[in-house]
Amino acid sequence: MSEQPLTKKNRPYVCGLDAAVDVIDGKWKVLILWALHDQPRRFGETKRLLPGISEKVLAQQLRELEADGVVHREVYDEVPPKVEYSLTDSGLALNAALGPLGAWGTRRMTELGIPYPSPAHQAAC
């Protein structure tokens, strides 16, 4: 009998939603995916799009998303070094799957009377 592969939490997945949440688990991962949705971005540019995230946490979360196959890290052979992050095909599919969740959140904010930080954020989200 072959053993089922274990998740990051050292247990088998219960369902597909469990597998998806295993990838996006964490406060910032979904927002990082949003920041990378339309073009490759450098680390500093990504950090500016996510007020409140520390460099340490951003670096850690990017490494985890890269290990999960949803973010690609491209290192250019230049001086000074240039690194860009972009979504893989799997990351693009995950972002598309998160779209309805974002729409639900927008409706929820409206119901609660919570304004968007800016019209630019609303158009991008």
Side-chain angles (χ1 to χ4, degrees):
M1 181 165 86
S2 67
E3 285 190 32
Q4 195 174 17
L6 299 178
T7 67
K8 291 181 233 173
K9 294 178 180 140
N10 216 19
R11 61 173 176 73
Y13 289 127
V14 175
C15 64
L17 190 56
D18 192 18
V21 170
D22 198 28
V23 173
I24 59 171
D25 189 28
K27 177 179 177 179
W28 295 100
K29 287 184 181 175
V30 173
L31 296 175
I32 292 168
L33 292 170
W34 165 80
L36 299 175
H37 78 281
D38 61 346
Q39 67 185 41
R41 298 197 188 273
R42 295 183 69 175
F43 185 90
E45 185 181 10
T46 305
K47 187 176 181 322
R48 281 190 295 280
L49 290 171
L50 303 170
I53 193 170
S54 71
E55 288 187 15
K56 177 184 174 183
V57 170
L58 178 57
Q60 176 189 3
Q61 303 264 292
L62 283 167
R63 278 192 302 272
E64 290 176 14
L65 289 167
E66 183 182 10
D68 285 328
V70 295
V71 167
H72 172 72
R73 181 177 184 263
E74 183 75 30
V75 180
Y76 294 91
D77 189 20
E78 297 179 5
V79 177
K82 177 181 174 184
V83 178
E84 285 185 339
Y85 297 91
S86 60
L87 296 180
T88 63
D89 288 343
S90 182
L92 290 168
L94 177 55
N95 241 4
L98 291 170
L101 182 60
W104 180 87
T106 299
R107 288 190 303 274
R108 176 78 173 147
M109 288 173 66
T110 301
E111 290 167 4
L112 296 173
I114 300 170
Y116 255 87
S118 73
H121 279 91
Q122 187 170 9
C125 232

